[in-house]
Amino acid sequence: MTTVGSVIDNPSAHRFEMAVDGEIAAAYYKIEHGRYVFTHTEVPFALSGQGYGSKLAQAAFEAARKAGMRVIATCPFMSRFALRHPEYAAMLDG
């Protein structure tokens, strides 16, 4: 049985994170000039390919939308995620 927590924003660590079976999956960010900059997404190898990165990405983009902020996705995973989801691609700057 897989135990999955909710995605939470941990501003002191500059990341959105989710606990999965005692491991942490995370999407790192910084805020520059009033925009979220998504810099890196990390999912433990044993959990890769199971949709956890996408769950993190969706939560991160929704947080940016709720805050009324634009996004710069320097993380290749986040950039690809946004391009596959037009509602998030419209939020991208650069």
Side-chain angles (χ1 to χ4, degrees):
M1 179 176 186
T2 301
T3 304
V4 180
S6 299
V7 176
I8 61 165
D9 183 7
N10 181 345
S12 63
H14 303 281
R15 69 185 192 179
F16 292 93
E17 56 190 42
M18 172 177 48
V20 183
D21 287 344
E23 304 249 19
I24 298 292
Y28 293 85
Y29 68 86
K30 54 187 171 179
I31 295 178
E32 290 183 349
H33 308 290
R35 297 180 289 198
Y36 272 98
V37 180
F38 297 136
T39 58
H40 180 66
T41 304
E42 198 170 275
V43 175
F45 183 77
L47 303 172
S48 65
Q50 298 178 44
Y52 298 117
S54 293
K55 186 174 180 181
L56 284 167
Q58 181 178 12
F61 275 97
E62 286 299 323
R65 181 192 314 273
K66 184 176 179 182
M69 297 171 73
R70 305 281 297 166
V71 171
I72 296 174
T74 60
C75 167
F77 178 84
M78 291 295 240
S79 180
R80 285 190 309 271
F81 180 86
L83 294 176
R84 289 192 315 267
H85 297 87
E87 67 274 25
Y88 300 131
M91 298 171 66
L92 293 176
D93 281 349

Short mmCIF file of all heavy atoms in Angstrom, two decimals, residues 26-29 37-43 74-76 78:
data_model
loop_
_atom_site.label_atom_id
_atom_site.label_comp_id
_atom_site.label_asym_id
_atom_site.label_seq_id
_atom_site.Cartn_x
_atom_site.Cartn_y
_atom_site.Cartn_z
N ALA A 26 9.81 16.71 -4.33
CA ALA A 26 9.81 18.16 -4.16
C ALA A 26 9.98 18.90 -5.47
O ALA A 26 10.66 18.43 -6.38
CB ALA A 26 10.91 18.58 -3.19
N ALA A 27 9.34 20.06 -5.55
CA ALA A 27 9.51 20.99 -6.66
C ALA A 27 10.06 22.28 -6.07
O ALA A 27 9.37 22.95 -5.28
CB ALA A 27 8.18 21.23 -7.37
N TYR A 28 11.28 22.61 -6.42
CA TYR A 28 11.98 23.76 -5.86
C TYR A 28 11.67 25.03 -6.65
O TYR A 28 11.50 24.99 -7.86
CB TYR A 28 13.48 23.51 -5.85
CG TYR A 28 13.87 22.41 -4.90
CD1 TYR A 28 13.83 21.08 -5.29
CD2 TYR A 28 14.26 22.71 -3.59
CE1 TYR A 28 14.17 20.06 -4.41
CE2 TYR A 28 14.61 21.71 -2.71
CZ TYR A 28 14.55 20.39 -3.12
OH TYR A 28 14.88 19.39 -2.24
N TYR A 29 11.65 26.14 -5.93
CA TYR A 29 11.36 27.42 -6.57
C TYR A 29 12.08 28.56 -5.85
O TYR A 29 12.57 28.41 -4.74
CB TYR A 29 9.84 27.69 -6.58
CG TYR A 29 9.25 27.93 -5.20
CD1 TYR A 29 9.26 29.20 -4.63
CD2 TYR A 29 8.70 26.88 -4.46
CE1 TYR A 29 8.72 29.42 -3.36
CE2 TYR A 29 8.15 27.10 -3.20
CZ TYR A 29 8.17 28.36 -2.67
OH TYR A 29 7.65 28.58 -1.41
N VAL A 37 9.89 31.15 -9.97
CA VAL A 37 10.87 30.54 -10.86
C VAL A 37 11.01 29.09 -10.39
O VAL A 37 11.53 28.83 -9.30
CB VAL A 37 12.24 31.26 -10.81
CG1 VAL A 37 13.23 30.58 -11.76
CG2 VAL A 37 12.08 32.74 -11.15
N PHE A 38 10.49 28.16 -11.18
CA PHE A 38 10.58 26.74 -10.85
C PHE A 38 11.92 26.22 -11.35
O PHE A 38 12.17 26.19 -12.54
CB PHE A 38 9.42 25.96 -11.46
CG PHE A 38 8.06 26.38 -10.93
CD1 PHE A 38 6.99 26.55 -11.77
CD2 PHE A 38 7.87 26.61 -9.58
CE1 PHE A 38 5.76 26.93 -11.30
CE2 PHE A 38 6.63 26.99 -9.08
CZ PHE A 38 5.57 27.16 -9.94
N THR A 39 12.78 25.83 -10.40
CA THR A 39 14.17 25.53 -10.74
C THR A 39 14.50 24.04 -10.84
O THR A 39 15.41 23.67 -11.58
CB THR A 39 15.11 26.16 -9.70
OG1 THR A 39 14.78 25.65 -8.40
CG2 THR A 39 14.98 27.68 -9.70
N HIS A 40 13.80 23.21 -10.08
CA HIS A 40 14.17 21.79 -10.07
C HIS A 40 13.03 20.97 -9.48
O HIS A 40 12.40 21.39 -8.52
CB HIS A 40 15.43 21.60 -9.22
CG HIS A 40 15.91 20.19 -9.12
ND1 HIS A 40 16.40 19.49 -10.20
CD2 HIS A 40 15.97 19.34 -8.06
CE1 HIS A 40 16.75 18.28 -9.80
NE2 HIS A 40 16.50 18.17 -8.50
N THR A 41 12.77 19.82 -10.07
CA THR A 41 11.78 18.88 -9.53
C THR A 41 12.50 17.57 -9.25
O THR A 41 13.27 17.09 -10.07
CB THR A 41 10.63 18.66 -10.54
OG1 THR A 41 10.05 19.92 -10.86
CG2 THR A 41 9.56 17.75 -9.95
N GLU A 42 12.25 17.03 -8.08
CA GLU A 42 12.96 15.84 -7.63
C GLU A 42 11.97 14.81 -7.08
O GLU A 42 11.24 15.08 -6.14
CB GLU A 42 13.92 16.27 -6.53
CG GLU A 42 15.03 15.34 -6.22
CD GLU A 42 16.01 16.03 -5.28
OE1 GLU A 42 16.90 16.75 -5.77
OE2 GLU A 42 15.85 15.85 -4.05
N VAL A 43 11.95 13.64 -7.71
CA VAL A 43 11.13 12.53 -7.25
C VAL A 43 12.07 11.35 -7.02
O VAL A 43 12.88 11.04 -7.90
CB VAL A 43 10.04 12.16 -8.29
CG1 VAL A 43 9.26 10.92 -7.86
CG2 VAL A 43 9.09 13.33 -8.52
N THR A 74 12.57 27.15 -15.34
CA THR A 74 13.91 26.76 -15.77
C THR A 74 14.12 25.26 -15.61
O THR A 74 15.04 24.70 -16.20
CB THR A 74 15.01 27.53 -14.99
OG1 THR A 74 14.88 27.25 -13.60
CG2 THR A 74 14.90 29.02 -15.24
N CYS A 75 13.29 24.62 -14.82
CA CYS A 75 13.31 23.17 -14.66
C CYS A 75 12.71 22.53 -15.92
O CYS A 75 11.58 22.84 -16.28
CB CYS A 75 12.50 22.77 -13.43
SG CYS A 75 12.14 21.01 -13.31
N PRO A 76 13.43 21.66 -16.60
CA PRO A 76 12.90 21.04 -17.81
C PRO A 76 11.59 20.29 -17.59
O PRO A 76 10.69 20.34 -18.44
CB PRO A 76 14.01 20.08 -18.26
CG PRO A 76 15.26 20.63 -17.64
CD PRO A 76 14.82 21.25 -16.35
N MET A 78 9.21 20.96 -15.36
CA MET A 78 8.13 21.93 -15.20
C MET A 78 7.78 22.60 -16.53
O MET A 78 6.62 22.84 -16.82
CB MET A 78 8.51 22.99 -14.17
CG MET A 78 8.59 22.43 -12.78
SD MET A 78 7.00 21.87 -12.18
CE MET A 78 6.82 22.89 -10.75
#
